Amino acid sequence: MSCTDSNVNVAASATATAAAPAPALPPSAAAAPAARAFSLPRINEPAPAFHAKTTFGDRSLEDYRGKWLVLFSHPADFTPVCTTEFTAFAKASADFAAINCELLGLSIDSIYSHLAWVENIKHRFGVEIPFPIIEDLSMDVARAYGMIHPGASDISAVRATFIIDPNGTLRAMVYYPMTNGRSVAEILRLVRGLQTSLANGVATPEGWQPGDKVLVGAPKTVKELNARLQEGLETTDWYFSMKSLG
């Protein structure tokens, strides 16, 4: 056989090898679908917009423009801890309304489940739920607000609470596990504290309640530092001053 024949045979063999289809990968080796990214909203930035069906009809974030809003999620209807939270929110609803604050619940349940649960609470516990509850079967709102934590559940929201100001800015968010109920009194206190801080340019100390003294920011320049003792504040040290709002 000539060198030419040998070259032709080698080339033909290489062409056949290149043209042969690659063996199929077993199912276990196939690429898994990309996981949905987990994200959280951020304090002092615009709260994620939403439009959703609720027990009071359609609601959107824009509907609450000009009011404070407490948006809170719960894992599921007809569960013990959630029932205690909802009755507590209902009993405090007048206190929230008095400070221009609305309540809006959410879970990954249907409207029909929400309605049945609301009626159950009314008849079994003697408490009417005076605020809407979002149906979020698509999880769109829950995902936008980071309410789904895979370490807790892929199909239920954790106990998340978001406080949104009248301009639609997220001012605070608090997360609780599924096993432990929130303190509604603490959420009310936090809304009042945020309103006080924004209106007066001050901070509120631990456990602050309306009427208590507030904290004044520390001086940022030598001039401010030298003037601090002359400002009529209750100053313990240069960085720690309190005052009454009157």
Side-chain angles (χ1 to χ4, degrees), residues 133-149:
I133 310 171
I134 290 175
E135 172 193 82
D136 196 27
L137 293 174
S138 66
M139 302 188 193
D140 288 344
V141 181
R143 288 194 176 104
Y145 278 83
M147 297 173 179
I148 306 297
H149 291 210

Side-chain angles (χ1 to χ4, degrees), residues 79-194:
T79 53
V81 177
C82 300
T83 300
T84 65
E85 291 184 326
F86 266 67
T87 56
F89 271 118
K91 292 174 181 178
S93 60
D95 294 324
F96 283 99
I99 57 173
N100 191 36
C101 183
E102 299 283 335
L103 300 172
L104 179 60
L106 176 149
S107 78
I108 302 169
D109 291 297
S110 71
I111 281 291
Y112 305 107
S113 176
H114 289 337
L115 292 174
W117 186 39
V118 165
E119 282 298 298
N120 179 269
I121 292 174
K122 177 180 177 181
H123 292 297
R124 294 292 186 180
F125 298 91
V127 177
E128 292 196 37
I129 304 302
F131 50 82
I133 310 171
I134 290 175
E135 172 193 82
D136 196 27
L137 293 174
S138 66
M139 302 188 193
D140 288 344
V141 181
R143 288 194 176 104
Y145 278 83
M147 297 173 179
I148 306 297
H149 291 210
S153 173
D154 289 327
I155 58 173
S156 297
V158 295
R159 301 183 194 284
T161 307
F162 303 89
I163 301 176
I164 302 168
D165 76 11
N167 296 317
T169 301
L170 179 62
R171 293 300 181 179
M173 54 185 181
V174 183
Y175 288 82
Y176 275 62
M178 294 184 176
T179 53
N180 304 95
R182 288 161 283 207
S183 168
V184 172
E186 171 59 15
I187 294 169
L188 179 62
R189 188 192 76 86
L190 181 54
V191 175
R192 288 170 170 160
L194 287 166

Side-chain angles (χ1 to χ4, degrees), residues 42-48 50 61-71 99-102 145 162-173 190-191 194-199:
R42 293 187 288 194
I43 291 175
N44 293 337
E45 292 188 5
F50 63 83
L61 180 60
E62 191 62 26
D63 293 332
Y64 295 94
R65 178 77 56 173
K67 296 183 177 182
W68 286 79
L69 174 65
V70 172
L71 169 64
I99 57 173
N100 191 36
C101 183
E102 299 283 335
Y145 278 83
F162 303 89
I163 301 176
I164 302 168
D165 76 11
N167 296 317
T169 301
L170 179 62
R171 293 300 181 179
M173 54 185 181
L190 181 54
V191 175
L194 287 166
Q195 291 177 340
T196 298
S197 293
L198 291 171

